[in-house]
């Protein structure tokens, strides 16, 4: 906590919390500000339970309002430029991760957990299990392996040799920082892991695939309403 790291809990005043909060608002997105505020309040609540302070000096701080914005969906050109930028920045693992997300529609943890045993080249499908944590709705699903994804997985297999059934396909668990740097480098909008899921869905819709089928591929249980 910048400015408070060396301060005893009993010495933190409400004005210190307000100053800290103002700094977070200038530096972070609204969602990350709210996440930080929640953790900060819990830390001070712990101080109360331990008897260090009688009241929480951050209690008056309120969460920042998050505007409901339309998702920024990468175009095909922007997606290609993002992958190229990651390679030019010598972040090949992140480039592979971005391609996997964009070609599969998986969530972050689902992509990070994809293993050799989940890929079936013979049937042309891959199975989304979510690994030990499971998927968001706890359901395992099979998704078609479209040509771009098949080419990516075959290239990874060729580069690494035989991928054991228990090995994860990706060598990293995520690449948020890599995506941010590549977006700045290529002068692209600020994309995230989740924008790549929108990219997959958008491409599927453009190909005329019905919403119920896409929803199943994405792991939604609403039949395509979302």
């Amino acid at each position: 906590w910048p400015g408070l790291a060396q301060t005893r809990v009993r010495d933190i005043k409400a004005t210190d919390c307000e100053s800290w909060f103002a700094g977070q608002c200038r530096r972070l997105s609204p969602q990350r500000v709210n996440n930080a505020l929640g953790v900060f309040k819990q830390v001070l609540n712990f101080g109360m339970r331990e008897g260090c302070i009688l009241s929480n000096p951050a209690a008056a701080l309120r969460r920042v309002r998050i505007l409901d914005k339309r998702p920024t969906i990468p175009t095909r050109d922007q997606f290609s430029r993002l992958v190229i930028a990651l390679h030019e920045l010598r972040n090949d693992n992140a480039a592979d991760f971005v391609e996997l997300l964009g070609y599969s529609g998986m969530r972050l943890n689902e992509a990070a957990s994809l293993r050799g045993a989940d890929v079936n080249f013979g049937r042309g499908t891959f199975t989304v299990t979510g690994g030990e944590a499971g998927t968001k709705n706890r359901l395992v699903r099979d998704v078609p392996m479209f040509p771009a994804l098949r080419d990516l997985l075959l290239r990874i297999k060729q580069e690494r040799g035989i991928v054991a059934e228990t090995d994860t396909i990706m060598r990293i668990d995520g690449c948020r920082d890599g995506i941010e740097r590549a977006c700045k480098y290529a002068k692209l909008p600020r994309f995230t892991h989740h924008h790549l899921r929108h990219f997959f869905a958008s491409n599927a819709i453009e190909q005329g695939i019905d919403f119920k089928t896409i929803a199943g591929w994405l792991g939604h249980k609403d039949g395509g309403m979302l």
Side-chain angles (χ1 to χ4, degrees):
W1 309 105
L4 295 177
Q6 305 303 321
T7 305
R8 295 186 302 178
V9 174
R10 68 187 60 162
D11 295 333
I12 297 177
K13 302 179 179 60
T15 53
D16 297 323
C17 297
E18 292 169 1
S19 177
W20 169 83
F21 189 60
Q24 301 300 301
C25 289
R26 288 191 299 270
R27 192 168 60 89
L28 302 177
S29 67
Q31 182 62 62
R32 294 179 69 182
V33 167
N34 290 339
N35 293 343
L37 178 61
V39 175
F40 188 44
K41 285 186 174 182
Q42 288 301 316
V43 170
L44 295 174
N45 284 338
F46 179 74
M48 290 174 58
R49 292 196 299 271
E50 292 297 302
C52 299
I53 50 178
L54 297 178
S55 61
N56 190 327
L61 299 178
R62 294 291 178 262
R63 292 168 59 87
V64 177
R65 182 183 177 187
I66 300 176
L67 298 178
D68 185 15
K69 296 182 179 179
R70 292 176 62 87
T72 303
I73 302 175
T75 65
R76 289 188 180 89
D77 176 67
Q78 288 174 331
F79 179 82
S80 177
R81 288 165 55 197
L82 175 59
V83 173
I84 291 172
L86 286 165
H87 283 302
E88 290 181 351
L89 292 171
R90 300 180 183 278
N91 199 343
D92 296 336
N93 287 333
D96 289 344
F97 206 104
V98 164
E99 288 197 81
L100 179 63
L101 292 172
Y103 299 151
S104 70
M106 287 188 286
R107 299 180 178 90
L108 173 61
N109 75 295
E110 294 171 347
S113 303
L114 188 70
R115 298 182 180 277
D118 301 326
V119 178
N120 191 319
F121 288 105
R123 289 191 308 172
T125 62
F126 63 97
T127 303
V128 182
T129 68
E132 295 182 1
T135 62
K136 187 175 182 180
N137 57 18
R138 303 301 177 188
L139 296 178
V140 174
R141 63 187 189 273
D142 289 325
V143 184
M145 189 189 307
F146 295 105
L149 178 59
R150 182 182 181 87
D151 290 345
L152 171 68
L153 296 176
L154 285 174
R155 175 174 59 78
I156 292 174
K157 184 178 181 181
Q158 183 178 11
E159 291 175 352
R160 291 172 54 180
I162 297 176
V163 178
E165 291 190 349
T166 56
D167 288 346
T168 55
I169 303 297
M170 293 291 104
R171 288 176 165 168
I172 54 178
D173 295 329
C175 52
R176 186 187 68 185
D177 292 341
I179 292 175
E180 288 185 359
R181 285 194 294 271
C183 287
K184 291 180 180 178
Y185 174 81
K187 296 180 172 55
L188 295 170
R190 184 175 177 272
F191 295 128
T192 66
H193 296 116
H194 202 69
H195 287 124
L196 303 172
R197 186 166 156 86
H198 287 299
F199 175 77
F200 172 86
S202 177
N203 284 321
I205 292 170
E206 288 180 4
Q207 293 301 315
I209 300 169
D210 65 274
F211 288 173
K212 185 174 182 179
T213 299
I214 298 172
W217 292 345
L218 293 173
H220 290 170
K221 297 176 66 176
D222 60 2
M225 291 297 294
L226 180 60

